[in-house]
Amino acid sequence: MVSPRIALGLLIVLSGCTTYELTMIPPAPALQPRPPATRPDLTIAVQSTYAPYGDEDLQLGDLYPRNGRLGRMEQNRYQEAFAATQQFRSVAVGDAGNPLHCRLVILSGREPPTNRLLAGLTFGLVPTYRREILRLDATVSAPGRVPASYAIEGRILSRTQGPGDTTQPRFSNVPEQQLTAALVARMAADGWLDREEAR
Amino acid sequence: MTHPWPRIRRAGAALLLVLTSCRTITVDPPGNVLPALPEAKRPALDFALHVTEDPQLWDPGLTHLRAEVVDGEDLADLVPTLRDALEATNAFSTIRRAPTGQRLHCDLSVRMYHMTPEGLGLVITAGLWPHVEHEYYEVIAIMSAPGRAPQTYTVRGHAETLLWSPLIPIGLVQWVVQSGTLQQTIDALVARVAADGWF
């Protein structure tokens, strides 16, 4: 017979998880599969900034560029997110001038977790919620074509349950991947990915 | 039943006393006495903050470890700490993070490094093995004000703490060890700035 204390401990550990609810503005079209032979090469440039979250919005008067370790992490995260769409033959970090280029300007921020005291007192059985805003402004360019801009915003609600440290940055890259997929779907709908094929 | 809270408080105070008594803080150059300005005469201060984590502060020979710029939300988390340290000098009427403008401005470049022992070693010995923690700060401040030539000040702070911490939560130990050094470094800086008539 398992003692009630061990059972409670197991329940706390096993119930420990974080889920995300992402609201995308505007809603994105579905991304269609692309045969490997027709995938273009892509270069990206990423510029990311942190804005504190307050009054249910980002506070634009108090900005912190991610120009160090976090900036490099963001660059890798989006490089992987573009690659994960399976729409490109290769995704590299680079300047404009290559056949297809996407310059991403990212602004994001998250609120401090709510219910932390209650979550701590109940060893994580009471979930902790955290809201976050992630704005992507993308400028897509290719030689001989007028650049186009796309803006997309994700509002993320994280729900953490369990004995984790809710002050830590979000571990999962899923929201970034979903937003990037939405951005690529809009690029594809405008023919940016087909242009390479025509050559 | 006797309530345990007074005992916990006494134990906590004893712990603080023991830990702080094993700590040596040196500030170079040593600070003068902070100005005792009446509230009405305290100037408003704007400041900018740049932070780098640099292992070479501990050992200049560690050329394979590069300095890391603290950016984005990590920098945002440090701003209140610096603001609190400046506020604690009681030398300024208001303090805000802002670019150079019409007020007294301090551009702070902070290099810092915390040399903490290996976590695994601490766990294996349950803190029974005494060890030394080092904390380094180098603050370069460029003071400016309308109609006055900017002036640069450099202050370095170093704390060395002998720790013998059986079964004490490491978070508490590090909180004790890492408090005070930055404050004394900022105190020394503000004292020098005041001595040069910036107020």
Side-chain angles (χ1 to χ4, degrees):
Chain A
M1 182 72 183
V2 179
S3 86
R5 284 181 192 170
I6 294 174
L8 179 63
L10 277 174
L11 179 69
I12 290 170
V13 171
L14 292 175
S15 65
C17 65
T18 301
T19 54
Y20 306 101
E21 190 181 298
L22 173 67
T23 308
M24 219 177 286
I25 308 163
L31 193 56
Q32 301 302 320
R34 182 166 292 268
T38 63
R39 294 177 187 175
D41 293 316
L42 175 74
T43 58
I44 61 167
V46 177
Q47 180 194 324
S48 182
T49 303
Y50 170 76
Y53 186 106
D55 297 330
E56 302 195 353
D57 207 349
L58 298 177
Q59 302 301 299
L60 302 181
D62 192 19
L63 300 176
Y64 298 85
R66 295 184 179 104
N67 52 6
R69 185 178 60 88
L70 295 179
R72 286 199 306 279
M73 284 169 62
E74 282 278 90
Q75 187 170 274
N76 293 340
R77 184 176 292 151
Y78 281 93
Q79 190 177 358
E80 285 172 12
F82 274 104
T85 62
Q86 300 192 334
Q87 300 289 308
F88 304 100
R89 189 167 55 192
S90 68
V91 181
V93 175
D95 297 326
N98 293 302
L100 183 61
H101 180 77
C102 180
R103 182 173 179 271
L104 265 184
V105 177
I106 300 155
L107 188 66
S108 65
R110 58 179 171 270
E111 68 176 353
T114 55
N115 291 344
R116 279 180 64 197
L117 181 61
L118 195 56
L121 289 174
T122 60
F123 298 100
L125 283 176
V126 171
T128 303
Y129 292 94
R130 203 171 188 188
R131 285 173 298 180
E132 181 177 349
I133 295 177
L134 214 164
R135 283 187 194 139
L136 301 186
D137 278 303
T139 305
V140 185
S141 61
R145 189 166 172 180
V146 179
S149 294
Y150 300 91
I152 194 159
E153 179 176 306
R155 291 194 171 237
I156 303 154
L157 179 66
S158 306
R159 178 187 185 277
T160 302
Q161 191 161 25
D165 182 0
T166 52
T167 59
Q168 290 300 308
R170 177 164 48 78
F171 179 71
S172 168
N173 291 341
V174 171
E176 279 84 356
Q177 289 184 350
Q178 290 181 349
L179 283 170
T180 306
L183 173 68
V184 172
R186 290 174 64 191
M187 286 165 60
D190 286 352
W192 282 98
L193 277 55
D194 303 329
R195 190 163 177 80
E196 186 79 359
E197 293 170 48
R199 297 180 172 190
Chain B
M1 183 186 146
T2 316
H3 199 277
W5 183 238
R7 248 186 330 192
I8 293 170
R9 257 198 327 215
R10 275 200 295 273
L15 169 68
L16 286 177
L17 194 65
V18 169
L19 288 177
T20 49
S21 66
C22 297
R23 180 173 49 178
T24 315
I25 298 178
T26 48
V27 176
D28 178 35
N32 305 322
V33 180
L34 276 167
L37 291 174
E39 276 189 38
K41 289 194 172 177
R42 293 176 191 171
L45 179 75
D46 289 347
F47 75 99
L49 179 64
H50 320 275
V51 181
T52 310
E53 282 181 355
D54 192 349
Q56 291 189 26
L57 279 173
W58 172 46
D59 182 354
L62 292 174
T63 47
H64 61 288
L65 296 176
R66 66 176 189 176
E68 197 71 77
V69 172
V70 177
D71 60 339
E73 39 273 66
D74 289 350
L75 181 63
D77 288 345
L78 285 175
V79 164
T81 308
L82 255 293
R83 187 189 292 123
D84 290 348
L86 287 165
E87 256 172 21
T89 63
N90 287 324
F92 307 102
S93 58
T94 58
I95 299 168
R96 65 175 188 187
R97 177 177 173 259
T100 314
Q102 292 304 307
R103 313 203 306 179
L104 182 64
H105 189 271
C106 180
D107 188 282
L108 284 167
S109 294
V110 179
R111 275 205 308 157
M112 62 182 197
Y113 188 66
H114 298 161
M115 204 289 287
T116 51
E118 291 294 328
L120 184 61
L122 276 182
V123 170
I124 289 172
T125 64
L128 284 169
W129 189 257
H131 57 270
V132 177
E133 288 207 11
H134 292 272
E135 191 187 7
Y136 297 88
Y137 289 100
E138 181 191 77
V139 179
I140 299 176
I142 302 172
M143 296 300 301
S144 62
R148 186 166 174 178
Q151 197 166 343
T152 303
Y153 299 87
T154 303
V155 182
R156 294 182 185 88
H158 169 220
E160 188 178 280
T161 310
L162 176 67
L163 281 176
W164 181 76
S165 49
L167 305 175
I168 298 169
I170 192 66
L172 174 63
V173 171
Q174 292 193 337
W175 176 74
V176 174
V177 170
Q178 292 171 4
S179 59
T181 316
L182 177 64
Q183 186 62 59
Q184 290 196 23
T185 312
I186 294 293
D187 286 352
L189 170 73
V190 171
R192 285 181 62 198
V193 167
D196 282 356
W198 282 95
F199 296 172

